[in-house]
Amino acid sequence: MTTSTSGITQTSRVLPLTATLLTGTVALYIALVAFGNITDFGTNQQFVRHVLAMDDTFKDDDLMWRAVTSKGLQDAAYVAIIAWETVAAVVLTAGTWFWARRDLARAHTFSTYGLLMLMLLFGAGFIAIGGEWFSMWQSKTWNGLEAATRVFVLSGIVLLVDLLAYREARRDTAA
């Protein structure tokens, strides 16, 4: 690590920039996902309906009792997903704004909450509940596990970068 005359490392300058850009990237991504789900409501509505209905699984009698066939409940789940995505996008946008302003405490807080929201949605919601409880992995057509894993991993990596940037910047300001 190279140190400037002020004692601040090059890493402590680069990490907040990296956190800003990566948090902004995830904020943009999830904002576009939410926007797409709102403006093209029917496409992913069908996806959620098929996953919850388990109509493209192996139809094992030991599992089919889990199926949710009520269109009202399916649509409520889909609207909840869109609302969660929208709030996460707003929180991550705020986190990006605070990183850009070098307001480290707020940047860290908002980014952490927004990224954890996505990890919960895509990890617990899509991978665990959709993938395992509703056996989405059995479907050749309605299987979103690869996409969910991609978002979960991306969010986790950005969370680690944000945590490193916050820790490093705090250490430099304390020195």
Side-chain angles (χ1 to χ4, degrees):
M1 260 190 277
T2 58
T3 305
S4 70
T5 56
S6 66
I8 297 175
T9 64
Q10 187 67 23
T11 302
S12 65
R13 288 190 189 124
V14 172
L15 277 173
L17 174 62
T18 304
T20 303
L21 296 174
L22 290 178
T23 302
T25 298
V26 177
L28 174 64
Y29 170 77
I30 201 63
L32 291 173
V33 168
F35 180 76
N37 285 338
I38 292 166
T39 59
D40 181 20
F41 191 85
T43 298
N44 282 329
Q45 176 190 37
Q46 292 307 309
F47 186 94
V48 170
R49 282 183 174 178
H50 286 287
V51 169
L52 295 180
M54 299 174 66
D55 58 5
D56 191 36
T57 64
F58 300 162
K59 298 209 182 359
D60 184 337
D61 288 338
D62 293 331
L63 297 178
M64 291 307 293
W65 64 271
R66 300 175 183 177
V68 175
T69 55
S70 163
K71 290 198 185 318
L73 288 176
Q74 293 167 348
D75 291 347
Y78 183 47
V79 168
I81 290 167
I82 294 170
W84 190 269
E85 292 167 342
T86 302
V87 171
V90 170
V91 170
L92 287 168
T93 299
T96 303
W97 171 252
F98 290 126
W99 278 117
R101 295 187 60 215
R102 304 273 300 168
D103 185 341
L104 302 176
R106 287 186 184 155
H108 170 66
T109 299
F110 278 84
S111 296
T112 298
Y113 286 141
L115 292 164
L116 286 175
M117 287 179 72
L118 292 183
M119 293 183 81
L120 283 171
L121 177 62
F122 287 90
F126 295 134
I127 295 171
I129 296 171
E132 289 303 317
W133 184 258
F134 291 107
S135 300
M136 182 170 55
W137 65 270
Q138 294 179 4
S139 176
K140 287 183 172 57
T141 306
W142 306 105
N143 186 343
L145 289 174
E146 185 179 318
T149 301
R150 187 173 52 243
V151 176
F152 182 81
V153 170
L154 173 65
S155 298
I157 291 169
V158 175
L159 179 60
L160 290 174
V161 170
D162 283 0
L163 293 171
L164 287 171
Y166 178 68
R167 186 186 75 174
E168 187 71 22
R170 280 186 39 123
R171 186 174 63 177
D172 283 345
T173 56

